[in-house]
Amino acid sequence: MDFRKDINGLRAIAVVAVVLFHFNPGWLPGGFAGVDIFFVISGFLITGIIFRKLDSGSFGLLAFYKSRAQRIIPALAVLCAVLLGAGWFYLLPLEYSQLGKHIASSLGFFSNFTYWNEAGYFTASAHEKWLLHTWSLSVEWQFYMVYPIALLALSKLMPLRSLRRVVLAACVAGFGFCVASSLWWPQPAFYLLPSRAWELLAGGVACLYPLKLGVRHQRLLEGAGLLMLVASFGLLSEDDIWPGYLALLPVLGTLAMIVAARQDSVATNNRFSQWTGKVSYSLYLWHWPVVVLLSYAGSLHSTPHIIGGIACAFAVAAASYRFIESPSSRKASPKRRWAFAQVSALIASVFVGAAAVNATEGAVTPLRTVSVSDRARFVQDYATRQKNLYESYWLKCDAFSAFTERHQQAIDPACTRKQGDGGVFLWGDSHAQALSLGLRTELAKGTPFYQVASASCKPSLTDDTGRSTDKRIACNYSNRLALSSIQALRPDVVVMAQKSDHDKTQWGEIAARLKSYGVKHIVLMGPLPQWAPSLPSVIANRHWGGNDAYITDAALDQSIMAANRAMPKLIDARSVDFVSLIDKLCIANSCLVRLGDDNSLLQIDDGHLSEKGSIYIVKNYVMPELYK
C-alpha cells in the first residue's frame, strides 16, 4: 500500500484531540474519542496487510507478530524504563509499587484489565497513574493476537470474498454487543476488547469494501467526516455512556475520511498534520506521563504550565520518534537496529524489574533513600488510615461497599432503625460519611442518629439514568432509601454533604421535599478544600519539614473554590442553612491542613476528613448550626 497522507493526517487529529482532552478536558470535552479514531485506523491498516498477504499466499503469523512488536514495543519499553528509573529516585513506596504493577501490565499488554479493576478513566485518581493511557495499546495488541489467527484459520475454510463478509458481519454484531454492554457493564465495556473490537473491524470493512469516488464526492465525504469528528470532540463528554452507540460518531467520521482518501486535503496534508501524524505514537506514549507530572507538581490547573507541558510532550515525542521509533534511525547503524532479540531482552528486563518493584511493595531498601524516609512513613500512615475507615465513617451504611465488597443486598438495618423521636439524619456521599464520627461524638447522649450515604452519591430526588455503573446503582438505592427513611423517621435535622457540584444540585427542591416530610432544620455542608494529588502527598513532596497550620499550594482545586463562591446566590437561607467550610477553613487560597500540637492532617487524601478532622469540623462548624 502506498503511503496514505490522509491517514497520517487523521493520526494527527486523533492524537491532538487526546492530548488536549488529557491536559484540560474543558478545552475539548470529547477529545477522548481520538482513541476511537486510532482504533479504526489500526483496523484498516492491519486488515489490508493481512488480506494482501493471504491473497498472495505469503502471510505468516510469526512475521506479522514480529513486525507489530518492532513497531509498538521499543518506544513503550523505553518509556517504561525511564519511568522505572526515575521512580527509583523520586517516588515513595506506595507510588513506586503501583508504578511497577502498571509497567508490568503495560508491557504484558493486559493493562486494560488492570485499570478496569482500579479507578475509572475519568476519575481524579487517574492523574496518579503514569501509564493509564496504555489500556488502549493493550486492546490493540489483544486484537492483533486474535484477529490474524481467526482470519488465517477461516481462510482455509472459505475464499477471501466470503471472508470479507465474515468481517462485515462480525463488525455489525460487535457494535450490537458494544451498545448492550455499555449499558449493562459500562466499566468493562470501556476497557475490554469485546466491546471495542467492532471499531477496529470497522476499519477493516473500509479496507475490504473500497469505494471509487470522483473529486467532488471525495470532498463532500471528507467534509462530512470532519464535521462528525468535530462534533464528537465538542458535543461528547465523559458523562456520556461510552463507547455505546455514540461511538458511531467518531467511527463513521473516521471511515468517511478514510474512504474519501483525499491526498491533497488542507485538513490532513499540511506540514503540522503530517509531522504530528509521524510522531503520533510517541506523542501518545509520552504526553500522559507529562500530565501526571504536572498533577504531582500541582500545576495542572495553570494554563501556562499546561501549554508548557504540551510543548514538552511534543519535544520528547520528537526525540522518541527520531532515536527509537523512526525506521531511518534504526537503519542508520547496526548498533541502532532494534533486532527482535534486543527488543525481547529490553522488555523482559523492564518487566522483571517492574514486577520486583511491585512484589517488594515499592522497593523499600536503604539503597533507595526515599523509600525509608520519614516522608515515606508519613504517606504510608495516611494510606493505612484510609483503609481503616469502617467504624469512623460508619461504612455499614455505605451502599456501594455493601453491594460491591460485602456482597450484601442492603445496608445495615441499624442505620435507619428508629431510636426515638426527632434526631439527626446524615445523607450524602463519602464526604457525608466523613462527618459521621464527629456527629456521633458531639451529639448529646441519647440523640437519635441515622445515616444513609454512598460513595460518589450526591443527594437527589430522582434516579440517575446515566451509565449503569456499580456506583450509580448503589447511589440510586441510597437516595431512595434516604428519602423513604426520612419520611418514616421524621428526624428534626437532616445534614447533607457531598464532595463537589454543590452549584449543580437542586437544593430548593430537595429542601421542599424534606420539609414536607416534617424535617424542621436542613443543614447543607459546603465542599471541603480538594487537593490533587492527595494532601499527604502534597505535604510530603512540597511542604515537608514545616508545621504551618495553613498552606498555599497550586494543588488546591480551584473549581471547588469557584463552586463554593457561587453557592450563596443559589441557596434560599430561609429553607437551608448553608455552611461554607471553605470560607471557614481558607483565607484566599491558603487553607487549613494541620490540627493540634501533633500536626495531624485535617484530611487523609484528596479531601476526605481524618478522624480528628471529622471531630474538628463537626464541633466547630456543624454543632453551632444544629442549635440555632
Side-chain angles (χ1 to χ4, degrees), residues 1-19:
M1 178 189 289
D2 294 332
F3 180 74
R4 290 277 300 264
K5 293 182 178 179
D6 58 323
I7 290 179
N8 195 44
L10 260 176
R11 289 194 184 104
I13 292 172
V15 76
V16 168
V18 171
V19 167

Side-chain angles (χ1 to χ4, degrees), residues 125-195:
S125 60
H127 286 122
E128 298 177 16
K129 302 178 189 300
W130 295 88
L131 291 168
L132 176 61
H133 61 317
T134 63
W135 73 268
S136 64
L137 300 183
S138 293
V139 168
E140 283 199 31
W141 187 265
Q142 290 156 19
F143 182 79
Y144 296 157
M145 292 294 102
V146 176
Y147 190 51
I149 294 176
L151 292 181
L152 182 60
L154 290 172
S155 69
K156 307 295 185 181
L157 304 174
M158 63 182 71
L160 293 184
R161 181 178 301 174
S162 299
L163 192 53
R164 293 192 312 163
R165 300 191 188 101
V166 171
V167 173
L168 175 59
C171 177
V172 174
F175 172 68
F177 178 77
C178 171
V179 173
S181 61
S182 296
L183 291 171
W184 297 336
W185 313 292
Q187 290 291 357
F190 184 92
Y191 282 108
L192 303 186
L193 175 62
S195 50

Side-chain angles (χ1 to χ4, degrees), residues 356-404:
V357 166
N358 180 241
T360 57
E361 298 183 343
V364 179
T365 168
L367 296 175
R368 202 170 80 86
T369 306
V370 68
S371 70
V372 294
S373 64
D374 290 339
R375 294 192 301 121
R377 286 187 285 272
F378 173 81
V379 171
Q380 180 61 55
D381 175 48
Y382 279 94
T384 301
R385 297 188 195 192
Q386 191 181 34
K387 295 176 181 178
N388 293 281
L389 297 173
Y390 187 85
E391 180 55 33
S392 59
Y393 275 46
W394 247 23
L395 294 183
K396 64 182 181 181
C397 307
D398 173 54
F400 177 69
S401 60
F403 291 178
T404 62

Side-chain angles (χ1 to χ4, degrees), residues 1-15 37-46 48 52 71 203 206-207 222 229 254-265 267-269 273-280:
M1 178 189 289
D2 294 332
F3 180 74
R4 290 277 300 264
K5 293 182 178 179
D6 58 323
I7 290 179
N8 195 44
L10 260 176
R11 289 194 184 104
I13 292 172
V15 76
I37 298 174
F38 278 126
F39 284 158
V40 177
I41 292 172
S42 294
F44 177 84
L45 297 174
I46 292 304
R52 281 193 298 274
R71 170 74 177 90
C207 174
E222 183 201 39
L229 294 185
T254 306
L255 289 177
M257 295 191 67
I258 289 176
V259 172
R262 289 197 65 209
Q263 304 306 298
D264 57 350
S265 169
T268 55
N269 188 16
S273 293
Q274 288 301 302
W275 182 83
T276 304
K278 281 196 307 182
V279 304
S280 59

Side-chain angles (χ1 to χ4, degrees), residues 19-20 22-25 27 290-291 294 299-313:
V19 167
L20 292 178
H22 281 160
F23 274 94
N24 188 336
W27 288 355
V290 177
V291 172
L294 287 181
S299 302
L300 203 51
H301 301 291
S302 165
T303 299
H305 285 105
I306 289 175
I307 294 173
I310 292 173
C312 176

